[in-house]
Amino acid sequence: MSEQKISVAVPSQDPKKKDEKKEEETKQNGAPEDSKKKGDEKAGEDLSEEDLQLKEQLEMLVERLKESNTELHRPALETLRTLIRTSTSSMTSVPKPLKFLHPHYPELQALYETWPPSDDKALFADILSVLAMTYSDTQPRGTLRYRLLSAAMRQSHEPLSEPGSWGHEYVRHLAAELGEEYNARELGEEVEVEMPAKPTEGAPEVKQPEPVGTVDDLRALAMQCAAFLLRHNAEPDAVDLLEELEIADRIAELVDENTYERVCQYMIACVPLLLPPDDVAFLRTAHKIYRQRSMFPQALSLAIRLGDSELIREDFNAPANPVMKRQLAFYLARAQVPKEWLDPQTTEDGVDAGETELPEDLAECLGNTRLSTFFREFGKELGVLEPKSLEDVYKSHLENTRGTTPANVDSARANLAGTFVNAFVNAGFGNDKLMVEAEEGSSWIYKNKDHGMMSAAASLGLSLLWDTDVGLSHVDKYTYSAEEHIKAGALLATGILNTGVRTEADAALALLGDYVDNKSVPLKTSAITGLGLAYVGSHREDLLALLLPHVGDDSVSMEIASLAALALGFIFVGSGNGEIASTILQTLMEREPKHLDEKWARYMALGLALLYLGTQDASDATIMTLRAIEHPISKQAEVLVTSCSWAGTGHVLKVQELLHLCDEHIEKTPKDKEKDKETPTEPPKDDTFQAFAVLGIALVAFGEEIGAEMSLRQFNHLMHYGEPIIRKTVPLALGLVSASNPHLPILDTLSKYSHDNDLQVALNAIFAMGLVGAGTNNARLAQMLRQLAGYYHKEPDCLFMVRIAQGLVHMGKGTITVNPFFMDRQIMSKTSVAGLLATLVAFTDAKAFILDKYHWMLYFLVTAMYPRFLITLDEDLNNLPVTVRVGQAVDVVGQAGKPRTISGFQTHTTPVRLGTTERAELATEEYIPYAHVLEGFVILRKNPGWEKEDKMEL
């Protein structure tokens, strides 16, 4: 007995009591005390009078349980229960009754086995379950076992007491053991047999291992524990417990109006850290809870994130309030959700009266048609409406160029750079001096040569971005030009200015549709690309019929087939459309190897990959088919499809797969070429897939902050040890991970790479600097680029790139972002990712695309460009200036109380510009927002209780 005493002695009273205690002991020195004298003296020294009394009372109760008279058992058990429940203890010590009963636990276990099943035995099991907590290290899962036995043995109808009645610690214990037990059962029963070895007993040992209760019993108990945890502000513990027992979806039954918000926030925050299919299940559960509570904006944002057309339609049609519907329409317009998803599944004609109002206000919100007007008003508020000239951006008087005149910079190249800078800087304002406001005949277009004219004409579309009415009339005059390149540029401009805006008129299709079958290659490619940009993410079936024949047609050049595939990838981004996928796969199988060797083939692969953007494992069949294609293009396509499917999920295993691809060393020296001659196409071609693998790592990891941070370290390693193809892609990947989000460490890294000996690495690093700072007006970055302009004043290619990066940094004069995440960085915009990827893929071989005559590919970025504003509107959608606080977003998921969600805020009046990592909140309670995140367009309604408060203060 004495060995099992707990040796940690906690004196609870002053030392002077010791003498009294000894006297008392001598008084009460009866027979039972004699046998245990030694042990008692040890303990007795530091036990107070009350403790001693309690100890004796407990020992008496244990003795009473051993007696044969069964009528004594019930009162003894009841007393035990009361003593244990009412005992209080500090956080650090074991409750007294458990401490004193600890030595008796083995004999109580043995005693328990001898009793016949009855209500008394059930109560006994319940008490043993509590005592088992003190034995959890030697007999795992005892608490749970006795709890289940107790539940199974009850004969009366009254239910077993709630686990919570034994206190918080007991519930925590049960929760931990439930998870272990469930895993043990799932892995197989034999795990359990070895676990509980009984050191003291003989007979009952054999029965011990039998599992008690079914999995359903475990789950029912887990639900009870979760309900207790939710009542006591431990929402994360409740979610974790149910997730361990694979019933996380049932938490929807337990939440109430006080807990649902915290539960949903925690579940959504867990999503990037879960493996499929749990991540989707968590989102669906949170969606279900929000729908139960009629929180439509939150529910719709999760439906968009899931990409589930049925949920989106239900959520959009659920609210009866027309103003709320407008707010939801703004959400859908930002996410570029196809309008067709909102139509009821029946035929288009037999629709209820709800359809009649769609054309009016809702169609306007859904089509983003007023984006241009609001954007210009926003520019006016910020005082950036005036057009900027090239010199305003370059600030060349600050460049420290050596010598007076820059040597060998061909002016055509400088003018071409000017085209892009002017377009990006004045994007969306429609008033730049070079193109829109230029006098007749002195337009900037004529300062360019040949293919330069095409980009110049197309830049008109960027300047008039989102302005479908005025824009088309400006572009129209160039569509009649005799110069083929100007005409082609005008077609592309038509596509660009319709990006992200859906009108009833459908002008882009009407104007570009006829040119798709034109004999002239520039006109044909421009029309195809223009359609891809104008209808990005719209899933329009009529465009499928128009473009698909060009993908499958063996007689057309690889350029046209690939651009058609890419345009379809843009239009059907993330749809997993089987018809397009099978046509592209068919083409990849049937085309001659020399066609697939062309630089354009990567765009056919990208078109296929974009179909599966964010669809996770829906692309498995396609990947299996790709493996059957013998040409190296299949490897590139497989990497692209995999990384697109898991884009933004932070899926660790996929990142590891892609890293494995990066460490394959492909020998390309002439000596080894002879050895590898068995497959003549392999050695020169086969390493392009590594470039895509590097981009893939960025694409999978950029969804959540921890993954993105970890990926930076991998890129650092790849830069040190990778092959040239990997080294030149790493800067692009850095640009993708942190688009429009200029973190200093990333800027410093890119600045270092921009002086690399390998000019291709330097070139891509300069572009990535532009991408990282896109639309931020970052002064430090602008300074770095000015230094680079001086450094590379003799390198026309690099100087061209520096200029473009300068244009990107000042994009929209600092009002436009290309970051693909919105809605508090919770939702990934598929159309944005498509545009960024298409641009970056062009840079994987910059010499062949951007620096050749395909510089117009820079305009692919247009699908990712979106104003970074918060505009507050009243219920009639008119501007409503209110004061808001804007500060750095702080993650408060799972924190106690109501902590501040932003830090270091400044107070502004809307409309206001929001940075990538910033968040806004209303400064007063005068208005209540319809949206749950203050970003983009937010409709406000007057708070009815606000005036009264004001009057009281007066």
Side-chain angles (χ1 to χ4, degrees), residues 29-100:
N29 223 348
E33 294 298 320
D34 252 320
S35 54
K36 308 183 200 163
K37 194 150 192 177
K38 259 185 204 160
D40 242 29
E41 264 166 20
K42 245 192 227 168
E45 282 169 23
D46 31 32
L47 282 184
S48 68
E49 210 170 319
E50 292 160 27
D51 292 355
L52 204 68
Q53 210 174 343
L54 175 67
K55 184 167 185 281
E56 282 168 8
Q57 190 183 359
L58 290 169
E59 280 170 0
M60 181 195 70
L61 290 170
V62 171
E63 292 298 324
R64 199 168 286 173
L65 288 178
K66 292 180 185 168
E67 288 179 22
S68 53
N69 182 356
T70 49
E71 280 165 20
L72 295 174
H73 293 170
R74 186 77 190 182
L77 289 168
E78 295 282 3
T79 318
L80 265 179
R81 176 164 68 181
T82 319
L83 282 173
I84 293 174
R85 279 193 189 169
T86 51
S87 76
T88 51
S89 74
S90 67
M91 289 295 284
T92 48
S93 64
V94 182
K96 291 275 166 24
L98 295 189
K99 182 172 161 183
F100 297 142

Side-chain angles (χ1 to χ4, degrees), residues 510-670:
L511 294 168
L512 301 178
D514 310 339
Y515 289 99
V516 171
D517 297 314
N518 200 298
K519 292 277 179 288
S520 147
V521 172
L523 293 181
K524 196 167 185 169
T525 52
S526 295
I528 289 173
T529 311
L531 284 173
L533 293 174
Y535 294 102
V536 63
S538 65
H539 298 203
R540 290 270 297 261
E541 292 293 333
D542 47 350
L543 294 166
L544 178 79
L546 186 63
L547 296 173
L548 202 55
H550 294 282
V551 180
D553 186 351
D554 283 354
S555 60
V556 300
S557 70
M558 201 61 192
E559 176 181 357
I560 290 168
S562 298
L563 285 173
L566 180 66
L568 285 168
F570 269 43
I571 296 165
F572 287 88
V573 63
S575 66
N577 186 304
E579 194 181 339
I580 303 173
S582 56
T583 308
I584 295 178
L585 286 169
Q586 197 69 27
T587 308
L588 290 175
M589 284 176 184
E590 291 172 0
R591 282 267 177 163
E592 295 170 29
K594 69 169 191 292
H595 287 162
L596 296 176
D597 286 341
E598 284 183 38
K599 62 184 180 185
W600 289 103
R602 67 191 67 196
Y603 274 110
M604 189 164 278
L606 180 63
L608 176 63
L610 290 178
L611 296 175
Y612 293 106
L613 186 62
T615 54
Q616 301 202 357
D617 43 19
S619 59
D620 289 355
T622 305
I623 291 174
M624 296 312 290
T625 316
L626 282 170
R627 288 182 184 155
I629 300 173
E630 283 160 17
H631 192 274
I633 185 74
S634 66
K635 185 89 170 180
Q636 298 172 30
E638 188 188 324
V639 173
L640 280 171
V641 172
T642 306
S643 25
C644 280
S645 307
W646 299 94
T649 56
H651 194 303
V652 185
L653 302 177
K654 297 294 164 197
V655 175
Q656 287 174 354
E657 271 175 43
L658 294 164
L659 278 169
H660 277 301
L661 294 173
C662 294
D663 68 325
E664 290 177 26
H665 286 288
I666 290 136
E667 303 291 346
K668 294 186 79 174
T669 51

Side-chain angles (χ1 to χ4, degrees), residues 200-232:
T200 43
E201 302 152 65
E205 210 173 326
V206 195
K207 294 180 189 172
Q208 226 34 20
E210 289 178 18
V212 183
T214 60
V215 171
D216 290 341
D217 293 342
L218 293 180
R219 287 182 168 157
L221 183 53
M223 290 291 278
Q224 284 185 322
C225 292
F228 174 84
L229 291 166
L230 284 175
R231 284 199 301 276
H232 292 80

Side-chain angles (χ1 to χ4, degrees), residues 352-372:
D352 59 323
E355 185 71 3
T356 49
E357 71 196 39
L358 237 181
E360 293 305 312
D361 54 340
L362 284 185
E364 203 171 76
C365 300
L366 273 173
N368 247 345
T369 42
R370 295 176 62 184
L371 182 61
S372 175

